Amino acid sequence: MTRRRDRAAKPVGTRRAAREFVFRALFEAQRGDQTLRAAFTRAEGAMRDGDDTFVPLSDDALVFANELMNGLLEHQDEIDSTLKRTIRGWSFEQMAQTDLNILRLATLEMMFRPEPHPPVIESAVRIARKFGGEDSGRFVNGVLAGLSRNLSTAPAPPADRSDE
């Protein structure tokens, strides 16, 4: 066993740690011109090998991180379309990649997962403050607050009437 592994922190089971893990894999995938799945697999391997640049995730947190990664892969077009309608005055090309990736991850959860919006937004803002620029936290908060309002007031999808 290596020293690094001996000193490794106990696994973290928080959703925010899982979100940050996926955010970092997404960022690496785009910067390294590789697939998200490949970047995620590499990051998971590094984490399991005791690389202290990654917070060690508990099994539950790693399952959640995998669910987020798969959700991003499955819903990328819908997420980007929703963000383009929500963000005013900025194109994706003008935005910092960190901010855009944080928004994509939070939008996935707000649209396709049962989590309540406030903790998702709070987690996204914290990640933005940690990895983004000086105004990233405020920008992410503003975009996601607007998205939350829009999603809350959107009409419910029609009920399935196939059993009538």
Side-chain angles (χ1 to χ4, degrees), residues 59-133:
D59 289 340
D60 288 342
L62 194 53
V63 166
F64 180 63
N66 266 290
E67 290 171 359
L68 293 176
M69 178 200 53
N70 289 327
L72 285 169
L73 293 171
E74 182 178 346
H75 300 291
Q76 180 74 47
D77 292 339
E78 293 166 271
I79 291 166
D80 283 355
S81 177
T82 298
L83 284 172
K84 286 177 181 174
R85 287 190 313 270
T86 303
I87 299 169
R88 301 282 184 228
W90 291 88
S91 70
F92 283 6
E93 292 75 29
Q94 294 172 307
M95 293 173 54
Q97 184 180 356
T98 53
D99 295 352
L100 179 57
N101 287 337
I102 292 165
L103 290 170
R104 284 176 168 148
L105 193 54
T107 300
L108 165 74
E109 286 193 78
M110 292 169 70
M111 290 179 65
F112 299 103
R113 298 199 44 95
E115 279 78 35
H117 294 178
V120 171
I121 294 171
E122 179 183 342
S123 185
V125 169
R126 287 177 185 243
I127 294 170
R129 286 181 181 152
K130 182 175 181 178
F131 292 100

Side-chain angles (χ1 to χ4, degrees), residues 122-162:
E122 179 183 342
S123 185
V125 169
R126 287 177 185 243
I127 294 170
R129 286 181 181 152
K130 182 175 181 178
F131 292 100
E134 186 177 322
D135 295 325
S136 291
R138 281 193 304 256
F139 177 71
V140 165
N141 187 55
V143 171
L144 295 178
L147 176 60
S148 180
R149 281 189 301 274
N150 289 344
L151 292 174
S152 297
T153 60
D160 181 14
R161 299 193 178 271
S162 60

